[in-house]
Amino acid sequence: MGDRCRGVDRRAVTRRPARFCPDCGAATGTRQYDGSTRRYCPACKTFIWQNPVPTVRMVVLDGDAVLLVRTRNGRWGLPGGYLKVDEHPRDGAVRELAEETGLVVHASELVLVCTDHHVAHPAEGGLISISFAVDRRRASGRPTPGAEILALEFVPMRDMDAYDVPAVVHRRLGAALSALWMPG
Ligand SMILES: [Zn+2]
């Protein structure tokens, strides 16, 4: 099973602060817990925890080039997105890559690269990004932009500046190069 594990946690969890209880619909209040103000359902007598949401990113390397996609917001970045509720992050990364680029890889070919944590504002909730890398030679299929993607390109790293990618993409790329080409 490797990094797959089992376990059920029945606590109510939301990404944004819950104004209403996700279980019973009652308006929530707040209570102090461990020195922080938390949402609390007076009907269920339980806290509603606010937690970050996981996302996945894929770094596909082809020699000295990396696969970038241009999304509907006009920005270039790495393929990826949200996980389905019953999906392992590796499987989600494989699915997002196929949906956005047409490239097909097996989950066992992915190398775990790094995790990033992003909180724009506590009221909007946090994101955890889990990045994987894969060598293009492990992928099949012809690169084709998916329905949500305006364009895709394998971009040589020396040309990356022209694509104005966020700094976090450069960080993930550096980590992916280490993980994929210099294992151990
Ligand atoms: Zn409730």
Side-chain angles (χ1 to χ4, degrees):
M1 296 294 280
D3 55 355
R4 290 159 198 263
C5 49
R6 296 174 190 282
V8 175
D9 185 333
R10 299 192 183 282
R11 286 181 295 184
V13 169
T14 61
R15 177 178 171 185
R16 293 181 181 165
R19 294 189 299 128
F20 299 94
C21 173
D23 284 329
C24 76
T28 60
T30 58
R31 279 199 180 185
Q32 292 298 307
Y33 184 92
D34 266 359
S36 299
T37 303
R38 313 280 187 177
R39 306 304 300 188
Y40 186 83
C41 175
C44 298
K45 297 185 170 52
T46 184
F47 285 96
I48 320 284
W49 304 98
Q50 184 192 3
N51 290 107
V53 167
T55 65
V56 287
R57 294 290 154 197
M58 193 78 106
V59 183
V60 184
L61 292 169
D62 184 2
D64 72 338
V66 60
L67 179 60
L68 297 183
V69 295
R70 191 165 174 237
T71 53
R72 285 193 174 158
N73 66 11
R75 301 288 310 267
W76 289 92
L78 298 169
Y82 291 101
L83 297 168
K84 293 182 177 177
V85 66
D86 58 350
E87 197 169 49
H88 189 278
R90 286 176 181 276
D91 299 326
V94 166
R95 176 184 53 76
E96 287 285 347
L97 182 69
E99 286 178 3
E100 295 188 351
T101 74
L103 290 177
V104 177
V105 295
H106 192 273
S108 65
E109 302 284 3
L110 272 52
V111 175
L112 181 61
V113 167
C114 62
T115 58
D116 299 287
H117 181 222
H118 177 74
V119 184
H121 187 279
E124 291 302 318
L127 290 177
I128 302 280
S129 287
I130 306 165
S131 295
F132 297 96
V134 70
D135 186 329
R136 186 193 175 169
R137 289 172 294 184
R138 304 290 186 190
S140 60
R142 197 168 61 88
T144 310
E148 305 287 316
I149 298 300
L150 301 178
L152 60 75
E153 282 181 42
F154 277 93
V155 177
M157 284 166 215
R158 61 183 175 276
D159 298 336
M160 288 277 285
D161 285 352
Y163 291 76
D164 193 27
V165 296
V168 68
V169 171
H170 289 281
R171 265 211 328 268
R172 289 170 185 157
L173 185 51
L177 288 167
S178 301
L180 212 55
W181 307 139
M182 292 170 268

